Structure formats: structure tokens, C-alpha cells
Amino acid sequence: AIAVHIIFLWLDHYISFSWLQLLVPFTSSYSNHVATFGVILGSIGVALGVLAMYAVALMVLSSLGWINTRQGIWRKLHYLGYFVLPAVFVHALATGSDLKYGTFRTVWLLIGFMLVLIILTRLWRARTLSRD
């Protein structure tokens, strides 16, 4: 899905991206000119999408190669999921044309709030966060 997303962005002529901008974080200056809490996050959103792509690739590749042989490293790499989720959330919010305003943006923000609650609950249940 990530590869298809990148290929279609590269083929899209409405907003032109080079391969460098699609594969290297902080090389794109794209912005949909919408502020989130007063801050325009367009280029940061693109960079977070690129970083999340590499984090997902690391998690998938480690699952294919190290799940049985290097479980400690594999387990630690999967903590990247706690970075990927908010990075993809901000990426969509800051760069997506569907989430510029209106109902979809409100629903997306509510989903984000619920995800924060779910993550905090998971961290608390796994005893990562202190119960004191």
C-alpha cells in the first residue's frame, strides 16, 4: 500500500514530487496551506510520512528475518509502532486534501484523540506507565 501511494504521488501531475522528495525526509516543501492549531505543517507532514514508511519497512523486514533468531532486537524494533501511528496521523492531517476542513477533518481529529487514549491505556496495562 505504501509503494502504491508513492508511485501514484510520483505519477500525479497536479502536485509534482521528485523521487528524492518522496524518499528523503525534509526535502519537500509541499503544503496544503491549512493550519493545524495555527501552525502550517505541510512539509513536516510529508517528512513524517517518509519516516513512517521507513519505520514500517524496518518492522516488516525484522518480522520476516529476525522473529525467530533475534527476538530481542525484533521486539525493540516493534516499539517503532508507537512512532508510526502519530506520524501517519499528522501526515494525513497536514498533507491530505480530504482532511483540509469540514466533517472529515473533525472525524479524523476525534479518531486521533481516541487513538491517544487507546495507546495510553495499552501502555498502562503493559506496565510501561506507572500506576502510581
Side-chain angles (χ1 to χ4, degrees):
I2 295 170
V4 169
H5 180 56
I6 290 172
I7 289 168
F8 276 104
L9 284 174
W10 183 67
L11 292 173
D12 188 5
H13 296 292
Y14 180 70
I15 302 170
S16 60
F17 286 102
S18 69
W19 282 112
L20 182 74
Q21 292 172 326
L22 292 171
L23 299 175
V24 179
F26 302 105
T27 55
S28 173
S29 60
Y30 170 78
S31 176
N32 63 0
H33 304 291
V34 174
T36 301
F37 303 117
V39 179
I40 296 177
L41 301 172
S43 60
I44 293 172
V46 174
L48 285 174
V50 174
L51 292 171
M53 171 188 65
Y54 289 124
V56 167
L58 269 172
M59 290 189 300
V60 169
L61 292 174
S62 71
S63 292
L64 295 173
W66 293 345
I67 193 168
N68 294 322
T69 58
R70 296 182 177 163
Q71 288 185 349
I73 296 171
W74 171 79
R75 188 173 291 117
K76 288 178 177 130
L77 280 174
H78 276 69
Y79 284 112
L80 284 172
Y82 290 112
F83 162 75
V84 169
L85 190 70
V88 169
F89 178 82
V90 172
H91 171 72
L93 191 64
T95 61
S97 59
D98 296 339
L99 300 175
K100 283 177 112 172
Y101 41 75
T103 304
F104 289 122
R105 185 175 182 86
T106 303
V107 169
W108 190 253
L109 289 170
L110 289 173
I111 290 170
F113 178 72
M114 289 184 338
L115 286 173
V116 167
L117 292 177
I118 291 168
I119 289 171
L120 290 175
T121 302
R122 169 69 178 111
L123 291 172
W124 181 74
R125 287 184 61 229
R127 300 185 192 274
T128 304
L129 297 178
S130 175
R131 294 183 187 199
D132 297 331

